[in-house]
Amino acid sequence: HDRDADRLVVRGVIRNPGTGTGLTHLTAVVLLFDHDGVLIASGRAAVDASTLAPGMETPFAVAIPGAGDVGRYRVSFRTDDRVVPHVDRRERAMAQVTQP
């Protein structure tokens, strides 16, 4: 993640396992929580690939304004009709937002 004033940009790469099925209209969703665990903002953005075939990976970036007091964030992925299960491979410390 990167900070730009009160904006937080969460970037990453999503990979569809080789045994998965193709995914279309995939969106990354980021939920921001304050230090007490209260939801304070959210954002979403389409991933770069229009179709994520099995074994393929693609980057994503979600920018959320008004993210001044973020303690942590959660990333999920959705298609038009469902939440896509995923495994978060970040190190635990990376999920915490460092304050300037």
Side-chain angles (χ1 to χ4, degrees), residues 73-87:
Y73 60 87
R74 183 177 303 152
V75 179
S76 62
F77 300 92
R78 299 176 184 264
T79 62
D80 288 338
D81 61 348
R82 67 184 175 99
V83 173
V84 177
H86 74 283
V87 175

Side-chain angles (χ1 to χ4, degrees), residues 47-98:
V47 302
D48 284 355
S50 60
T51 298
L52 193 61
M56 186 178 164
E57 62 183 38
T58 189
F60 67 89
V62 180
I64 305 113
D69 186 31
V70 177
R72 65 185 179 89
Y73 60 87
R74 183 177 303 152
V75 179
S76 62
F77 300 92
R78 299 176 184 264
T79 62
D80 288 338
D81 61 348
R82 67 184 175 99
V83 173
V84 177
H86 74 283
V87 175
D88 187 343
R89 300 216 187 263
R90 291 177 293 167
E91 292 182 30
R92 191 108 179 112
M94 289 181 67
Q96 301 297 316
V97 177
T98 54

Side-chain angles (χ1 to χ4, degrees), residues 19-64:
T19 58
T21 59
L23 299 168
T24 59
H25 306 282
L26 190 61
T27 301
V29 179
V30 177
L31 304 176
L32 305 181
F33 300 90
D34 68 12
H35 296 281
D36 295 322
V38 176
L39 177 67
I40 56 172
S42 66
R44 62 180 58 219
V47 302
D48 284 355
S50 60
T51 298
L52 193 61
M56 186 178 164
E57 62 183 38
T58 189
F60 67 89
V62 180
I64 305 113

